[in-house]
Amino acid sequence: WGPEGWETTTKEFNFTAGGKIHYCMKCIDENQGEWFGKESWGVMLIEEVDEPRMFSAKDYFCGPDGVINDDMPSQKFTVELANENGKTKLITRSVVDSVEQLEELIKMGMVEGFSSQLNKLEVLLANDEIK
């Protein structure tokens, strides 16, 4: 979880409906300029888990204490895994509360960060030991 050049640690990980994932992403890449050394805390409230088909959650910015920052944008997302010609297709959808929240997330680099996460996932899945 997290873009390239960032390391993620979890303070709490309860991946069940009604559970919570409290995590911190820290920039460890000196080439990312002003982001280097910065932390971004988040909390995911897991809404639904239909293993192995899908899960949904609401993702918020928070502090190390886990208190949600209502001044920051949040998003609800759903991840589906579908069999397509013997391969697994990942489908993800995100919903925000307003156009302003979407614009703020885009300015914060959400598109680039999410694309980077998918690149990391592709590398992980290419590892023969995981297959």
Side-chain angles (χ1 to χ4, degrees):
W1 179 260
E4 293 178 45
W6 291 68
E7 188 174 79
T8 301
T9 56
T10 55
K11 207 169 190 180
E12 181 177 345
F13 192 92
N14 181 3
F15 189 73
T16 58
K20 174 171 77 171
I21 300 172
H22 183 199
Y23 63 93
C24 177
M25 297 186 304
K26 181 176 182 176
C27 183
I28 57 171
D29 181 1
E30 293 180 10
N31 296 320
Q32 292 192 23
E34 68 182 76
W35 290 105
F36 177 68
K38 296 222 171 141
E39 293 182 344
S40 179
W41 284 87
V43 64
M44 264 187 253
L45 302 180
I46 308 300
E47 295 182 342
E48 183 179 1
V49 177
D50 182 5
E51 189 178 337
R53 193 181 71 74
M54 62 80 66
F55 72 93
S56 65
K58 188 99 183 221
D59 195 31
Y60 300 90
F61 286 92
C62 69
D65 57 4
V67 174
I68 292 171
N69 183 344
D70 291 323
D71 294 330
M72 298 291 287
S74 62
Q75 64 176 312
K76 177 179 177 169
F77 66 92
T78 303
V79 175
E80 294 179 59
L81 302 171
N83 184 333
E84 189 171 275
N85 300 321
K87 294 185 178 185
T88 302
K89 180 177 183 177
L90 184 139
I91 304 157
T92 184
R93 294 177 182 85
S94 294
V95 177
V96 295
D97 292 332
S98 68
V99 170
E100 293 79 19
Q101 281 195 356
L102 178 61
E103 289 171 345
E104 188 173 352
L105 288 167
I106 289 170
K107 281 183 197 174
M108 294 170 72
M110 182 185 83
V111 173
E112 296 84 358
F114 187 72
S115 295
S116 178
Q117 284 185 158
L118 293 177
N119 292 339
K120 287 171 64 176
L121 179 61
E122 184 175 12
V123 168
L124 179 67
L125 294 174
N127 181 339
D128 287 336
E129 293 177 21
I130 294 174
K131 293 181 183 176

